[in-house]
Amino acid sequence: MRYIFLFLSILTFSQQTKSVDFISCEALLFPDAKTKSISGTVHYLFEIKNNIDSVKIDAKNMIFSAIYINDNTKFKYKITNDQIILYDGLKKGLNGITIKYEAKPKQTLYFTGERENLQIWTQGQGKYTSHWLPSFDDVNEKVIFKLGVYFDQKHHVLSNGKLINKINQKFPNEKKTLWEYEMQKPMSSYLVMLAIGNFEKQTATTKSGTLLEFYLDKKDISKFKPTYRYSLEMFDYLEQEIGVKYPWGIYRQVPVRDFLYAGMENTTSTIFAQDFVVDEIGFNDRNYINVNAHELAHQWFGDLITAQSGKHHWLQEGFATYYALLAERHLFGDDYFYEELNDYAEQLKRASKTDTIPVMNEKASSLSFYKKGAWALHVIREDIGAKNFQKAVKKYLKKYQYKNVNTDDFLKIVKEVSGYDVENFKKVWLETAGFEMEIAQKYLSKNKFIQEYFALKKSKKSLSELTEILKSNAYYPIKQYIVYQTRNIPFEERKVILETALATNDILVRRAVAESTPIIPEVFKTQYETLLNDNSYQTKEIALINLCESFPEEVEKYLKQTKGIEGNNDKSLKLTWLKLKILKGQNSRFDQENSIDELLKYASVDFESSIRQNALEILLVVNYENPKVIEALFLATNHHKWQFTKFARDNVRLLLKKPEYRNIVEKLVANSNSTIKELYTKFLNEKF
């Protein structure tokens, strides 16, 4: 029934957009961090083109203090949990509606942290902007948005479009700033955004004159350069490669804590995950480059033109994924590009055993939409040539800018430009499940590195031959492959492979040595210890674990050598250090308690979910019956990020099956505050 209702809702809105055109939205908004709510006044200008029985605006679980149509309060309307439905008071031609509302969203608008750590941000795709702003769940309704936002003067407020006003004003109890942002062109509601936080800004200007704004939390200002590396170069490249000038005038990017995904391409204003905020060492482990290019490409593919429905979602994700690869090709060369394409192909081939839904289906997997969609575009580009592909894309964007599209709209233009057999292409790549690995390999084999990689996988080379390859200028994945494939060979025979791999001084090849050698022979210890000095927190962590395991008598030496290193955003290295200190270090009772307390600090609500989960995973090993650990675990079940919540709930339910653990929790109920007591009781009352 849920799917029938959803289908009927989409159908109804589709019919509405044929008769009603919402033109613009002006909103004045008041987010409230104390109550985790938002209130405001919204005014829509819309045109009724044909006779229609009712007009609908999506508004989830909102309280309305006033609704006016054409400055008249006397008209018929209905409010449901999901919509405002207008029945009369409307006229053919231009109309205006003003809505005063308040909402306490359970999703889509998120409040994290407190005081200087406070952040408020939105994530509209998949959850709908209508949870915090009366708007439209139908992507086919495009509107020009102008948002004014009042907030305290200590925080920076970001939204879509250009900042046209920033005014400080006095309120009865505090000083606030009005931030006014304005779009010039229409966009779908799911692309409306807010981000409020303690941000610092840097700027750059592109070759075509577009202003780029880069934001970071003020505590991260030393990380601007590694986090946003290549941003300007990628923008200039994509604008030239796509062939259509960036359409929105300004582009900004801001990371937020506990974001639900890697990034989101809100028009003019991408939000991305704090995990991609890195220092120079962390850049070698996990950087923002691919996500950066992907979200930027969406400003054309998804924002400028938007797929009509989920069936055509690949037109957004496939294009963004492919153009991100092209941008990386520009930065890092052909070998990198083909290695990524080959990795996509292998993922798709493995998934094809169970993934039976084709790309052109609203229920297709993310892997299909993103990576098979990208592969489909690569096939077209190779078959018709880069110039024809660019010509077709440019024509496609120009024809449908600020509109909605389907797959046939794009393929029709491809055929017009090149005469390409789009029907066969559509059948093979978009309407058939699975992945054509044999076809893909023909395209991949145009690259020399891939030829060598495929040949190596089929060959049976001697250790001396493999050693020579490691000494050559072969691309790094070949060298990684050799290290991993020899992991089961006796160390005496493999030693030369490992020594030669370390001598490459390639971070990723050396990491392969760390990962593939968990048990370290005494004769290899000194060489293996050099991995602790690599410019990679991941490599340092792997090496630290393996060295402490292999040489327990030297744990204190290794802990001293790595003391004080925080690692990446999830603090995995720091937390691993604490775990090793507790389990393997020479600790006094005081040291032990201090280490537990430090882990508890990282497991608290003051930190991001990735840090909290890493800390809790260790605490559940070393001290799971500790009342403070129990409280931290139960509090985690209330988090907005589903991955973290699932981890916490799964562990709570597993532990409550142990009588002794259940007994401890039952005793804690009596002396707990109402919030944690409610959580304890909720899980204790569950039936397993």
Side-chain angles (χ1 to χ4, degrees):
M1 287 297 293
R2 178 177 176 273
Y3 295 108
I4 294 173
F5 175 76
L6 181 62
F7 173 76
L8 290 174
S9 297
I10 293 169
L11 183 63
T12 302
F13 255 107
S14 178
Q15 292 169 344
Q16 175 169 302
T17 55
K18 293 175 183 177
S19 299
V20 183
D21 178 22
F22 278 81
I23 300 166
S24 64
C25 169
E26 292 192 18
L28 189 61
L29 305 172
F30 295 82
D32 188 332
K34 291 180 181 177
T35 60
K36 297 187 176 180
S37 65
I38 188 166
S39 59
T41 302
V42 180
H43 179 78
Y44 279 102
L45 180 68
F46 61 101
E47 180 186 4
I48 296 181
K49 297 179 284 188
N50 306 307
N51 292 330
I52 191 167
D53 293 334
S54 62
V55 174
K56 300 176 178 66
I57 298 173
D58 292 307
K60 304 286 194 304
N61 300 310
M62 294 181 179
I63 298 171
F64 303 97
S65 56
I67 299 176
Y68 305 88
I69 291 184
N70 300 326
D71 296 324
N72 180 10
T73 58
K74 295 180 180 179
F75 64 94
K76 291 181 180 179
Y77 64 92
K78 178 182 178 182
I79 296 172
T80 71
N81 288 336
D82 298 316
Q83 294 178 325
I84 303 168
I85 306 171
L86 314 173
Y87 289 108
D88 69 358
L90 306 170
K91 63 186 182 187
K92 198 167 182 181
L94 289 178
N95 290 262
I97 180 170
T98 301
I99 304 165
K100 293 186 177 181
Y101 78 102
E102 183 178 347
K104 197 169 184 179
K106 293 182 179 179
Q107 57 190 54
T108 311
L109 178 67
Y110 298 94
F111 298 79
T112 67
E114 295 179 353
R115 295 180 292 277
E116 66 274 7
N117 290 322
L118 172 69
Q119 288 187 349
I120 304 172
W121 47 265
T122 58
Q123 170 52 22
Q125 184 166 334
K127 300 295 182 185
Y128 307 120
T129 296
S130 58
H131 284 272
W132 66 272
L133 179 73
S135 52
F136 306 95
D137 293 347
D138 181 11
V139 298
N140 296 281
E141 184 64 83
K142 295 202 170 195
V143 178
I144 300 172
F145 287 92
K146 178 181 178 181
L147 268 58
V149 183
Y150 275 105
F151 206 71
D152 70 53
Q153 295 181 4
K154 299 175 184 176
H155 291 85
H156 206 114
V157 176
L158 302 174
S159 190
N160 308 85
K162 293 185 177 180
L163 178 63
I164 59 171
N165 263 319
K166 182 184 173 187
I167 306 168
N168 293 329
Q169 296 184 11
K170 287 186 178 181
F171 280 70
N173 298 319
E174 62 180 324
K175 294 178 181 179
K176 290 191 175 186
T177 300
L178 171 64
W179 302 72
E180 290 187 299
Y181 286 89
E182 184 175 63
M183 292 292 299
Q184 300 295 323
K185 296 291 184 179
M187 66 183 196
S188 301
S189 295
Y190 77 91
L191 297 165
V192 179
M193 65 81 73
L194 282 180
I196 300 172
N198 196 18
F199 301 128
E200 192 72 39
K201 178 177 72 171
Q202 290 188 1
T203 63
T205 303
T206 70
K207 288 180 180 178
S208 61
T210 299
L211 176 65
L212 304 183
E213 295 182 347
F214 309 112
Y215 290 87
L216 287 181
D217 190 289
K218 286 186 177 179
K219 65 179 176 58
D220 293 323
I221 56 175
S222 64
K223 299 177 181 179
F224 266 108
K225 184 178 178 181
T227 297
Y228 287 110
R229 184 164 290 154
Y230 303 123
S231 291
L232 181 60
E233 186 175 349
M234 287 193 296
F235 188 103
D236 289 334
Y237 168 77
L238 284 174
E239 195 169 51
Q240 173 269 323
E241 174 62 33
I242 291 168
V244 174
K245 189 178 187 299
Y246 176 78
W248 306 109
I250 189 170
Y251 184 56
R252 63 179 61 87
Q253 299 169 84
V254 59
V256 298
R257 292 187 298 275
D258 281 322
F259 195 56
L260 300 175
Y261 307 105
M264 178 62 202
E265 68 277 10
N266 310 294
T267 313
T268 74
S269 305
T270 285
I271 295 177
F272 65 98
Q274 179 74 19
D275 286 335
F276 295 107
V277 176
V278 294
D279 60 17
E280 290 291 347
I281 295 176
F283 179 86
N284 297 320
D285 295 326
R286 184 183 190 186
N287 59 61
Y288 179 49
I289 293 171
N290 182 268
V291 176
N292 189 345
H294 181 101
E295 306 308 336
L296 175 56
H298 268 311
Q299 297 294 319
W300 287 270
F301 306 104
D303 296 9
L304 180 59
I305 55 172
T306 309
Q308 290 173 357
S309 68
K311 179 180 180 180
H312 307 285
H313 190 52
W314 81 280
L315 291 173
Q316 294 172 193
E317 299 303 347
F319 270 85
T321 302
Y322 188 56
Y323 274 92
L325 276 186
L326 290 176
E328 289 183 301
R329 183 184 201 172
H330 168 73
L331 294 173
F332 307 127
D334 278 0
D335 289 349
Y336 183 95
F337 174 77
Y338 279 97
E339 159 65 7
E340 289 296 298
L341 271 181
N342 183 55
D343 182 57
Y344 288 5
E346 290 180 350
Q347 289 180 46
L348 288 160
K349 182 60 180 176
R350 288 193 297 271
S352 66
K353 296 174 183 177
T354 54
D355 190 344
T356 59
I357 302 174
V359 172
M360 276 186 66
N361 188 307
E362 61 185 14
K363 295 181 181 179
S365 66
S366 293
L367 185 65
S368 292
F369 283 138
Y370 286 66
K371 295 182 178 179
K372 190 174 179 183
W375 251 104
L377 291 171
H378 183 65
V379 168
I380 295 179
R381 192 172 188 266
E382 289 291 296
D383 287 354
I384 70 175
K387 287 185 178 180
N388 274 339
F389 185 78
Q390 187 181 52
K391 185 177 178 181
V393 168
K394 183 176 181 179
K395 187 175 180 180
Y396 168 61
L397 288 170
K398 288 287 188 181
K399 182 174 181 179
Y400 295 106
Q401 59 185 338
Y402 311 110
K403 298 177 182 177
N404 295 80
V405 291
N406 61 44
T407 300
D408 287 337
D409 293 330
F410 172 62
L411 294 182
K412 183 179 179 182
I413 290 175
V414 170
K415 187 171 185 177
E416 288 173 0
V417 167
S418 64
Y420 190 57
D421 186 353
V422 296
E423 290 305 317
N424 181 64
F425 163 84
K426 184 178 177 182
K427 181 179 179 181
V428 173
W429 287 96
L430 305 178
E431 296 179 335
T432 303
F435 186 73
E436 295 289 346
M437 192 65 174
E438 289 185 10
I439 297 175
Q441 286 181 339
K442 292 178 182 177
Y443 290 95
L444 289 168
S445 293
K446 294 181 179 181
N447 174 257
K448 184 180 178 183
F449 147 66
I450 292 292
Q451 293 174 17
E452 293 173 351
Y453 182 62
F454 287 166
L456 177 62
K457 291 178 76 172
K458 293 178 181 178
S459 69
K460 292 185 178 181
K461 293 189 179 294
S462 66
L463 286 175
S464 60
E465 289 175 314
L466 293 175
T467 303
E468 289 305 308
I469 294 173
L470 286 170
K471 291 178 180 177
S472 74
N473 62 355
Y475 195 43
Y476 79 88
I478 287 178
K479 298 179 181 181
Q480 282 182 312
Y481 177 79
I482 290 171
V483 174
Y484 288 123
Q485 287 303 113
T486 58
R487 67 195 312 165
N488 294 323
I489 294 174
F491 175 77
E492 292 74 18
E493 298 175 39
R494 191 184 183 224
K495 186 170 182 286
V496 66
I497 293 288
L498 295 176
E499 291 175 336
T500 308
L502 288 177
T504 64
N505 289 323
D506 184 294
I507 287 174
L508 296 177
V509 177
R510 286 174 61 88
R511 186 183 299 159
V513 172
E515 288 180 326
S516 66
T517 317
I519 300 173
I520 308 159
E522 179 72 36
V523 295
F524 191 54
K525 184 178 78 165
T526 301
Q527 289 163 293
Y528 194 95
E529 286 174 339
T530 65
L531 293 165
L532 290 174
N533 300 318
D534 276 24
N535 285 329
S536 162
Y537 294 124
Q538 287 183 17
T539 302
K540 289 177 189 288
E541 183 177 352
I542 296 163
L544 178 62
I545 293 169
N546 291 343
L547 284 165
C548 288
E549 191 65 38
S550 296
F551 307 105
E553 70 282 0
E554 298 201 52
V555 166
E556 290 299 323
K557 180 182 84 170
Y558 299 130
L559 290 176
K560 183 178 180 180
Q561 186 176 345
T562 52
K563 184 177 181 179
I565 303 175
E566 292 288 323
N568 290 312
N569 189 64
D570 63 0
K571 299 188 185 297
S572 181
L573 177 53
K574 171 68 174 179
L575 295 169
T576 292
W577 187 94
L578 286 167
K579 179 181 180 181
L580 291 168
K581 182 171 177 59
I582 292 168
L583 296 179
K584 295 182 179 294
Q586 296 172 4
N587 301 303
S588 66
R589 182 176 176 181
F590 178 77
D591 289 334
Q592 198 83 352
E593 289 174 353
N594 276 352
S595 295
I596 294 290
D597 286 344
E598 192 166 2
L599 284 169
L600 282 166
K601 177 187 74 172
Y602 289 127
S604 75
V605 295
D606 295 331
F607 290 87
E608 271 203 280
S609 60
S610 58
I611 300 170
R612 291 171 68 185
Q613 181 167 331
N614 284 341
L616 281 168
E617 285 176 349
I618 297 169
L619 287 165
L620 291 175
V621 171
V622 302
N623 203 202
Y624 75 95
E625 292 183 343
N626 184 329
K628 292 180 180 179
V629 176
I630 294 171
E631 180 176 328
L633 181 63
F634 274 78
L635 284 173
T637 66
N638 266 348
H639 201 271
H640 68 261
K641 197 165 184 177
W642 71 266
Q643 299 95 325
F644 181 45
T645 302
K646 183 179 186 303
F647 155 81
R649 289 176 177 171
D650 288 350
N651 275 284
V652 164
R653 287 165 180 149
L654 186 65
L655 287 166
L656 283 175
K657 291 180 180 179
K658 297 182 177 182
E660 67 275 14
Y661 188 86
R662 175 175 284 271
N663 187 46
I664 295 171
V665 176
E666 287 172 344
K667 289 179 180 178
L668 289 173
V669 171
N671 298 314
S672 301
N673 63 46
S674 58
T675 301
I676 192 68
K677 183 183 291 187
E678 186 179 336
L679 274 175
Y680 289 155
T681 305
K682 172 188 169 185
F683 284 96
L684 285 169
N685 290 338
E686 281 188 353
K687 294 181 180 179
F688 296 103

